Amino acid sequence: MQQTLGEYLRHGQIPFLRLPLADFTRGEAVYEGASAVFIGVTYDGGTTYQPGARFAPYHVRRASASVELGRLSHASPEGGALARALDGGNVPLPLLSAEGMRAAVEAEVTRIVTSGATPFVVGGDHSVTLPVLRAVARKHGPIALVHVDAHSDMAEGGMMLGEERHHGTTIRHALAEGLIARGQLHQIGIRHSGDPDLIREHGATEYRIEDVEDRGIPAILAEVRERLGQHPVYLTFDIDAVDPAFAPGTGTPVAGGLSSREALRLVRSLAGCRLVGMDVVEVLPALDQSDVTSLLAAQLLLEAVALLP
């Protein structure tokens, strides 16, 4: 049942896109009947530069209250998945434990996908994506990953900042764990290239920002869609893929990225794919200007949930 504004405010915040709140008094049936569930992961312990992405779920929720829910040309006329979507709140996390974060996120996403709903995750830094992929791949098998980012996230972990699985290692670990089907890693907007041997070994495809500039989003996404086929598709969107002129609120900004218009068109161009989950990560509200980054993150989530049948 749709909550009133007053009921929202009793919880302390308006939910993502003004959606109904999940009713946790239902226990394990909390997500039953939902098409999509939005959750926040307030963790940035995997950050290697500027922290603060842990505050993104709050600010993206706040900004999303002003996002126009109509005018989605790729959404079904009946409202589709958005009509049965829920805000599942933030994942309860243990304090200062990367391993504990991964266990908690994997468990919550497992609960979402087991219910038949599609998870939409707001980080947090990009290290939160690994446990999400573990849960999604356990449900659907190795997935096709559309990875939109300025960075390849194929770094060697080492023990940077005491954490081997920091935000720059997510794709390397996902490949090593067999979470991504061979030939089904599609990286778009890259300005810091990945490991050529790893790319070659897994049949991955890297579309650098120069490719986007020369060929355009429509041509690149037409190629990506053809390669995706009927694979289950997960979209992970690091907001630093977008040029800091359009998304200044991020901890690792890289000049020369996508425009906000290109970012939105990229998501819309996945229409017809078998989307099984999405995340938006690395929004850093303290560095944002006039909420432009949080607003873009909220709009990206809305565009993606409209892809669901």
Side-chain angles (χ1 to χ4, degrees):
M1 183 174 66
Q2 184 72 35
Q3 282 90 350
T4 66
L5 179 59
E7 287 171 323
Y8 286 150
L9 294 178
R10 280 203 298 274
H11 291 270
Q13 188 179 6
I14 295 174
F16 286 122
L17 303 171
R18 294 167 285 169
L19 293 169
L21 297 161
D23 180 3
F24 285 94
T25 65
R26 299 179 65 196
E28 289 304 308
V30 60
Y31 300 134
E32 187 176 320
S35 57
V37 177
F38 291 78
I39 56 172
V41 182
T42 57
Y43 179 83
D44 58 14
T47 302
T48 57
Y49 188 39
Q50 299 183 90
R54 71 184 71 181
F55 300 108
Y58 175 87
H59 289 278
V60 175
R61 278 190 177 95
R62 179 177 56 77
S64 75
S66 65
V67 171
E68 175 59 54
L69 301 186
R71 301 179 183 176
L72 293 170
S73 60
H74 56 296
S76 69
E78 299 78 24
L82 196 61
R84 296 181 292 112
L86 297 174
D87 184 334
N90 293 336
V91 180
L93 301 178
L95 186 63
L96 302 176
S97 171
E99 184 177 352
M101 177 277 291
R102 288 189 288 271
V105 171
E106 185 175 350
E108 191 64 24
V109 176
T110 296
R111 181 154 63 157
I112 292 170
V113 298
T114 299
S115 76
T118 301
F120 289 82
V121 180
V122 181
D125 68 55
H126 216 159
S127 68
V128 310
T129 298
L130 184 61
V132 179
L133 293 179
R134 288 171 175 168
V136 171
R138 188 181 304 110
K139 167 75 173 181
H140 297 284
I143 50 94
L145 186 66
V146 178
H147 172 212
V148 188
D149 204 327
H151 310 86
S152 69
D153 290 355
M154 292 183 176
E156 295 278 2
M159 285 302 289
M160 184 178 289
L161 304 181
E163 174 49 48
E164 183 179 0
R165 291 172 174 81
H166 63 75
H167 68 165
T169 68
T170 298
I171 302 303
R172 177 178 290 274
H173 286 294
L175 289 170
E177 293 181 23
L179 307 178
I180 305 171
R182 192 182 190 289
Q184 289 298 334
L185 172 59
H186 312 276
Q187 298 183 295
I188 303 172
I190 304 296
R191 275 97 84 200
H192 290 195
S193 283
D195 182 329
D197 293 333
L198 200 59
I199 291 172
R200 189 163 44 251
E201 177 186 350
H202 291 275
T205 306
E206 180 185 88
Y207 297 96
R208 294 183 54 81
I209 197 63
E210 293 84 0
D211 299 315
V212 174
E213 185 177 12
D214 293 342
R215 299 179 57 192
I217 289 294
I220 287 174
L221 264 293
E223 186 174 293
V224 170
R225 284 199 311 272
E226 184 177 354
R227 292 178 177 178
L228 291 174
Q230 293 304 306
H231 280 86
V233 177
Y234 187 92
L235 171 61
T236 181
F237 202 114
D238 188 325
I239 206 70
D240 70 25
V242 180
D243 191 276
F246 299 93
T250 188
T252 50
V254 182
L258 301 171
S259 69
S260 54
R261 183 184 297 123
E262 287 173 323
L264 293 170
R265 185 162 189 179
L266 189 158
V267 176
R268 292 176 192 136
S269 296
L270 291 172
C273 296
R274 185 184 162 202
L275 187 71
V276 295
M278 179 199 183
D279 63 61
V280 176
V281 295
E282 301 286 351
V283 173
L284 202 170
L287 297 182
D288 205 2
Q289 298 291 324
S290 303
D291 287 336
V292 296
T293 312
S294 293
L295 282 165
L296 176 58
Q299 186 70 43
L300 289 167
L301 291 162
L302 176 60
E303 299 287 342
V305 76
L307 299 173
L308 300 178

